[in-house]
Amino acid sequence: NYFLRIEVELLGKGHSDLREVAPEIKASERRTAVAIADLEWREMEGDDCEFRYGALMSSFLSTVERSRLQEMLSLLGLETYQVQKLSLQDSLQISFDSMKNWAPQVPKDLPWNFLRKLQALNADARNTTMVLDVLPDARPVEKESQMEEEIIYWDPADDLAADIYSFSELPTPDTPVNPLDLLCALLLSSDSFLQQEIALKMALCQFALPLVLPDSENHYHTFLLWAMRGIVRTWWSQPPRGMGSFREDSVVLSRAPAFAFVRMDVSSNSKSQLLNAVLSPGHRQWDCFWHRDLNLGTNAREISDGLVEISWFFPSGREDLDIFPEPVAFLNLRGDIGSHWLQFKLLTEISSAVFILTDNISKKEYKLLYSMKESTTKYYFILSPYRGKRNTNLRFLNKLIPVLKIDHSHVLVKVSSTDSDSFVKRIRAIIGNVLRAPCRRVSVEDMAHAARKLGLKVDEDCEECQKAKDRMERITRKIKDSDAYRRDELRLQGDPWRKAAQVEKEFCQLQWAVDPPEKHRAELRRRLLELRMQQNGHEPSSGVQEFISGISSPSLSEKQYFLRWMEWGLARVAQPRLRQPPETLLTLRPKHGGTTDVGEPLWPEPLGVEHFLREMGQFYEAESCLVEAGRLPAGQRRFAHFPGLASELLLTGLPLELIDGSTLSMPVRWVTGLLKELHVRLERRSRLVVLSTIGVPGTGKSTLLNTMFGLRFATGKSCGPRGAFMQLITVAEGFSQDLGCDHILVIDSGGLIGGALTSAGDRFELEASLATLLMGLSNVTVISLAETKDIPAAILHAFLRLEKTGHMPNYQFVYQNLHDVSVPGPRPRDKRQLLDPPGDLSRAAAQMEKQGDGFRALAGLAFCDPEKQHIWHIPGLWHGAPPMAAVSLAYSEAIFELKRCLLENIRNGLSNQNKNIQQLIELVRRL
């Protein structure tokens, strides 16, 4: 009673936290006060009493939840990441576990198992079931009675006539952790960039995404706007007549109607199962929202109540498949609205309609809903006919009808076990009616704005993120036309660099001539110096200077924020929103052809971060060339620090350009300077394995690498850069000795190699040279094929050249099935085609190398022994009909097996001799 009087006084003075005046109150006494305060609240009057009640309950419960959170973090081994957050680079390290398809055995394995499976786009990533490996001398698991402290919590949704005390311990090691608890604990332990990667991979797996993250430890909830910035989705709109139009946009920026599903008090019907049924076309249900009947971890939630999830429906343009004619957002609040009033208030402000599932409407719930009388949102109630007090429910519903401006059609009754199909159709019909009428359409940015007004923290509002955004906007607001900007602001590229690259190529070829004319050599040298002096006479434009300042920031986080903002800002100003479908990982419609006609002109290259780095590279190239020729004193260099800035970006996980996509040539001084700086920064950990992928454009090379190692290579021909890019992966120190290297340098050839030999001899020679360069730098080469008979002639040509040098990397031929998701494995004819004697393309490549009949079968040349798993069949990427398809589990598992094989070959020394960075620099110069 004493504590109750204190609380009543606090309510009168506008306070809501008992701990402010009485922190010494024990948990048991606080629980008693909660119970009495609940009784007292029932006698309160006033429109705002329910808000104060919600705040009062939250303040009491937060103390209990805080201890729950700490216990959960300790159980999962994440308590050490509360100050220094887990980073994206930490999660991508190659370790012993990278080679094992292992099952978690203890709770501390669960976060890493989740991250590893999510990186591989594995649909089973949410499975928290553990397989205990009990040794004979293992100590028995402590019994519940041996736990030092019981965690007791009170659920305000329970009826006071029943026992108000509910006891719950954290899961013992042999029981699964709730997947939502695992997700919340991991997000709370991750930095902004790992959170963003988790959200992106979850979107590809068609999992519901976390929108509001509860954090009882610090007494605030976080709206995850930044975490979803990188998600781009595609769909086909359905106009009333004619063909649908293709759309691609960020989920953060595109506006769509939103529908929220919440629980009030207790409901015998599952919100998540109902949402999954509404979102799933036909009879195939996809479990977008985790629910209690999934055998993936069925323990009660401990720390994830208050979590708000979001998912979208996107139309495919096919009336027989599309449930709705336009994109629709669905929101799901975990827990009771009475305990999470702030989240419920947010949902009512951003949703076109709110579906409330409940079995009982009491006076407390009636007052909560009465406070929403000014809301313009539509409300629908979903009741159970066999639970709750029917007469009481009807009485309060009749009172709410005029208040919420609803009628009896807004009250639905769902029988749990029967008639589910017709009920789902009825829900879809209601949503369809709302869509046809004028309704609220919001973007995730609009939702974040509403969250700020309610006092929620938005992850994007941190100082470093906003400073980086402001810098990006200072650059992009000057870009009205991409071509004009490149011509006027990025002046060292285009014709100056293209001419210099051609002269350097001719000059290099003279070195291999038997008796090169000295006069021609001198002329080429003069022309090159003239071009370089012209380049060196320019000053970096204001946009380039701003970019250099952004990547020179002493704050690593601000630098990473700036690069991400630049990627999105440039994509926004440089690319139209309405265009032809690009063939990308996030384009959820398969294309109709697996190869690209190399006779077609190179595709337009969108403006990107790589153009600013190219400009820096050309300033460095021009200056270095003049210093080498004695035309510029070394002490007057201004750009010598540029390679160091670029090497830092490579270490943070940014893919850097190895072969310039505009001139299709390598800026050797820039690349070698970058590698030298990388060698300095890595110090003793500079042993490298180089892994490259080449093949026909559109066969999923970049997607394969991104799925295998969690990389960030651009996917698709028509929306990404066309050069070859490299990205660095760190090998864990405890595994580097066993693997034989400290880092893996991964090279993605992009769309450099065509699919057939054409009459364009110059184009073929260029592709053959690029293939030779990339394969010559590599220890391991993955050759990606759409059809095994269509091995590009440029690649066969590179085989012949490299055989002469004695440098033969370990080859893996990957046949990617682009369309048929039902093919279970490799077909025998696929291997026979690859191992057959050379066909016309093979002979043509041999003739260009002047080897004629001496050309041997590809089987002997590439050491393709079918028994040693050198030929792989990768199933189709998607499971289901795009754009609502998820990544196929068979695809994910096949990619893991390929990754395991590659790492095994590296460890066993089958990948040719591993090299250090100094050796790689020399190899770059030589090739």
Side-chain angles (χ1 to χ4, degrees), residues 185-353:
L186 188 55
L187 290 172
L188 290 170
S189 306
S190 304
D191 69 10
S192 298
F193 305 98
L194 181 53
Q195 287 181 349
Q196 200 172 81
E197 185 71 6
I198 290 172
L200 174 61
K201 299 294 188 182
M202 289 181 69
L204 287 170
C205 291
Q206 294 289 8
F207 296 161
L209 305 181
L211 184 69
V212 177
L213 179 66
D215 180 4
S216 55
E217 173 71 14
N218 297 302
H219 312 296
Y220 57 69
H221 307 301
T222 304
F223 188 95
L224 299 180
L225 174 62
W226 170 262
M228 287 193 281
R229 272 281 174 196
I231 302 173
V232 177
R233 296 301 298 266
T234 61
W235 66 93
W236 280 258
S237 61
Q238 286 187 7
R241 296 181 182 87
M243 292 292 294
S245 59
F246 172 80
R247 296 293 303 272
E248 178 183 82
D249 207 352
S250 164
V251 297
V252 167
L253 301 175
S254 60
R255 284 186 165 88
F259 295 85
F261 286 70
V262 300
R263 171 173 61 84
M264 186 171 67
D265 194 16
V266 176
S267 173
S268 54
N269 296 308
S270 168
K271 300 191 311 298
S272 301
Q273 283 181 304
L274 179 59
L275 277 165
N276 291 339
V278 170
L279 279 166
S280 300
H283 296 286
R284 186 192 65 84
Q285 179 161 319
W286 178 253
D287 293 309
C288 180
F289 292 90
W290 181 89
H291 56 85
R292 58 200 177 201
D293 288 344
L294 287 177
N295 189 25
L296 303 176
T298 54
N299 273 49
R301 295 190 298 271
E302 299 287 343
I303 64 171
S304 55
D305 273 354
L307 173 71
V308 177
E309 299 169 288
I310 186 170
S311 187
W312 289 267
F313 171 83
F314 291 99
S316 65
R318 294 177 52 183
E319 294 185 5
D320 58 326
L321 290 179
D322 291 345
I323 302 170
F324 306 110
E326 62 177 298
V328 182
F330 291 89
L331 301 153
N332 183 13
L333 171 62
R334 302 289 182 166
D336 170 46
I337 62 174
S339 304
H340 308 288
W341 183 248
L342 194 60
Q343 289 93 317
F344 178 61
K345 179 73 172 173
L346 172 65
L347 295 183
T348 61
E349 294 193 4
I350 63 178
S351 301
S352 299

Side-chain angles (χ1 to χ4, degrees), residues 169-180:
E169 284 90 20
L170 288 169
T172 55
D174 59 341
T175 57
V177 174
N178 188 288
L180 296 177

Side-chain angles (χ1 to χ4, degrees), residues 286-532:
W286 178 253
D287 293 309
C288 180
F289 292 90
W290 181 89
H291 56 85
R292 58 200 177 201
D293 288 344
L294 287 177
N295 189 25
L296 303 176
T298 54
N299 273 49
R301 295 190 298 271
E302 299 287 343
I303 64 171
S304 55
D305 273 354
L307 173 71
V308 177
E309 299 169 288
I310 186 170
S311 187
W312 289 267
F313 171 83
F314 291 99
S316 65
R318 294 177 52 183
E319 294 185 5
D320 58 326
L321 290 179
D322 291 345
I323 302 170
F324 306 110
E326 62 177 298
V328 182
F330 291 89
L331 301 153
N332 183 13
L333 171 62
R334 302 289 182 166
D336 170 46
I337 62 174
S339 304
H340 308 288
W341 183 248
L342 194 60
Q343 289 93 317
F344 178 61
K345 179 73 172 173
L346 172 65
L347 295 183
T348 61
E349 294 193 4
I350 63 178
S351 301
S352 299
V354 176
F355 291 83
I356 302 173
L357 283 76
T358 187
D359 290 345
N360 286 307
I361 304 176
S362 64
K363 184 177 181 181
K364 180 178 71 175
E365 281 76 35
Y366 167 76
K367 290 189 175 183
L368 288 173
L369 293 173
Y370 185 84
S371 66
M372 309 306 299
K373 59 185 177 181
E374 303 299 328
S375 173
T376 59
T377 302
K378 298 180 185 295
Y379 293 90
Y380 294 87
F381 291 87
I382 299 177
L383 307 176
S384 170
Y386 305 126
R387 306 291 179 90
K389 303 172 182 178
R390 301 181 64 177
N391 292 333
T392 304
N393 289 346
L394 291 174
R395 185 173 72 252
F396 283 120
L397 280 172
N398 285 326
K399 291 182 178 181
L400 286 171
I401 283 176
V403 172
L404 300 181
K405 304 176 183 65
I406 62 176
D407 55 36
H408 290 90
S409 67
H410 289 233
V411 181
L412 313 175
V413 176
K414 181 182 185 301
V415 181
S416 302
S417 56
T418 63
D419 204 24
S420 58
D421 289 344
S422 60
F423 189 81
V424 169
K425 290 179 181 178
R426 189 175 177 189
I427 296 293
R428 289 176 179 172
I430 291 172
I431 294 173
N433 290 334
V434 175
L435 295 178
R436 284 187 288 272
C439 66
R440 179 186 296 146
R441 283 172 169 79
V442 293
S443 66
V444 176
E445 276 193 344
D446 297 331
M447 297 178 188
H449 184 64
R452 289 188 187 98
K453 287 185 175 180
L454 290 173
L456 273 75
K457 174 188 173 185
V458 178
D459 59 352
E460 208 169 87
D461 291 348
C462 68
E463 182 181 359
E464 290 178 323
C465 182
Q466 289 305 306
K467 286 174 64 177
K469 182 182 181 181
D470 291 342
R471 191 184 297 275
M472 175 272 293
E473 289 177 341
R474 289 198 293 271
I475 296 174
T476 57
R477 70 167 61 106
K478 297 180 181 179
I479 305 175
K480 307 302 180 185
D481 178 81
S482 296
D483 293 335
Y485 186 85
R486 273 185 278 197
R487 182 179 60 252
D488 300 335
E489 299 292 320
L490 307 176
R491 296 182 288 268
L492 270 63
Q493 299 174 54
D495 285 339
W497 166 220
R498 192 172 293 108
K499 291 176 181 178
Q502 182 61 33
V503 173
E504 287 192 333
K505 179 181 178 182
E506 293 180 26
F507 189 81
C508 180
Q509 288 173 341
L510 281 181
Q511 298 178 13
W512 302 96
V514 177
D515 189 16
E518 187 59 35
K519 184 178 180 181
H520 187 44
R521 185 196 297 270
E523 174 62 18
L524 289 174
R525 188 182 293 113
R526 184 193 65 78
R527 286 168 52 194
L528 179 61
L529 287 175
E530 186 178 294
L531 289 166
R532 291 306 191 186

Side-chain angles (χ1 to χ4, degrees), residues 638-652:
R638 296 180 297 161
F639 311 120
H641 64 293
F642 280 5
L645 295 177
S647 66
E648 290 174 0
L649 302 184
L650 189 63
L651 287 170
T652 61

